[in-house]
């Protein structure tokens, strides 16, 4: 199941990458057109579009690197081990049980596999940092004061 979840996350990130690459292409086209067809001396539309294109390009480049890392990530079983990147964790907080996949990128992405929703979190997030190094049946406390218990680690 963990491999299926990872594949769904990769697919969602590849979709995001395609959107960013398309936005970059549109911004580049807008920059080229606006710079050549400036209406006034101080028309900065072309400059702004070029700046936006650069931002999309940098984001896409970073995302491509992260996707390559995810594709190379070995699916590992963390049962009985400390939680680390690649762990699938079930946490109960406030009477609700949620599933999280700890990855280096893609934080906030939600995927549903076999009828179960899994949210990607990163080690930099408050929940991710609380989980890192913890174990099954461990207690966590978030900076907000919310408390939870780790039910399962896969």
């Amino acid at each position: 199941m963990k491999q299926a979840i990872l594949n769904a996350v990769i697919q969602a990130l590849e979709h995001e990458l395609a959107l960013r690459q398309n936005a970059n292409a549109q911004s580049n086209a807008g920059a080229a057109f606006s710079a050549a067809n400036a209406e006034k001396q101080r028309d900065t539309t072309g400059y702004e579009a070029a700046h936006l294109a650069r931002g999309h390009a940098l984001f896409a480049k970073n995302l491509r690197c992260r996707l390559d890392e995810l594709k190379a990530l070995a699916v590992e079983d963390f049962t009985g081990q400390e939680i680390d990147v690649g762990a699938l964790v079930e946490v109960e907080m406030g009477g609700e049980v949620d599933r999280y996949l700890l990855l280096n990128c893609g934080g906030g992405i939600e995927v549903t596999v076999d009828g179960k929703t899994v949210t990607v979190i990163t080690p930099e997030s408050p929940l991710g940092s609380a989980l890192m190094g913890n174990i099954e049946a461990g207690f966590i406390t978030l900076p907000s004061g919310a408390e939870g218990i780790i039910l399962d680690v896969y």
Side-chain angles (χ1 to χ4, degrees), residues 116-130:
K116 296 181 179 182
T117 301
V118 178
T119 304
V120 176
I121 58 172
T122 62
E124 295 81 20
S125 69
L127 179 56
S129 63

Side-chain angles (χ1 to χ4, degrees), residues 2-154:
K2 196 161 143 187
Q3 184 64 54
I5 294 168
L6 185 59
N7 290 342
V9 170
I10 289 170
Q11 186 177 15
L13 288 173
E14 284 177 336
H15 178 71
E16 174 70 19
L17 178 63
L19 290 175
R20 292 297 178 140
Q21 289 172 332
N22 184 39
N24 180 39
Q26 290 178 357
S27 295
N28 276 327
F33 177 79
S34 296
N37 297 308
E39 294 180 14
K40 296 181 181 176
Q41 179 182 2
R42 302 212 191 309
D43 188 353
T44 61
T45 306
Y47 175 77
E48 291 165 4
H51 187 69
L52 185 61
R54 182 175 185 274
H56 284 301
L58 290 174
F59 186 91
K61 181 181 176 183
N62 186 346
L63 186 54
R64 170 54 55 204
C65 290
R66 295 297 189 157
L67 267 167
D68 291 343
E69 289 175 18
L70 280 182
K71 289 178 181 179
L73 182 68
V75 175
E76 190 178 331
D77 184 12
F78 285 88
T79 303
Q81 299 180 39
E82 288 186 354
I83 297 170
D84 202 354
V85 172
L88 177 61
V89 184
E90 283 187 2
V91 178
E92 180 190 345
M93 286 195 306
E96 292 187 28
V97 176
D98 294 308
R99 290 165 196 81
Y100 300 98
L101 181 60
L102 194 61
L103 296 174
N104 283 324
C105 69
I109 290 177
E110 287 187 350
V111 295
T112 302
V113 176
D114 295 337
K116 296 181 179 182
T117 301
V118 178
T119 304
V120 176
I121 58 172
T122 62
E124 295 81 20
S125 69
L127 179 56
S129 63
L131 290 173
M132 287 291 289
N134 218 320
I135 57 171
E136 186 176 322
F139 289 93
I140 58 170
T141 303
L142 300 180
S144 66
E147 295 180 341
I149 185 168
I150 301 166
L151 301 176
D152 282 310
V153 180
Y154 305 99

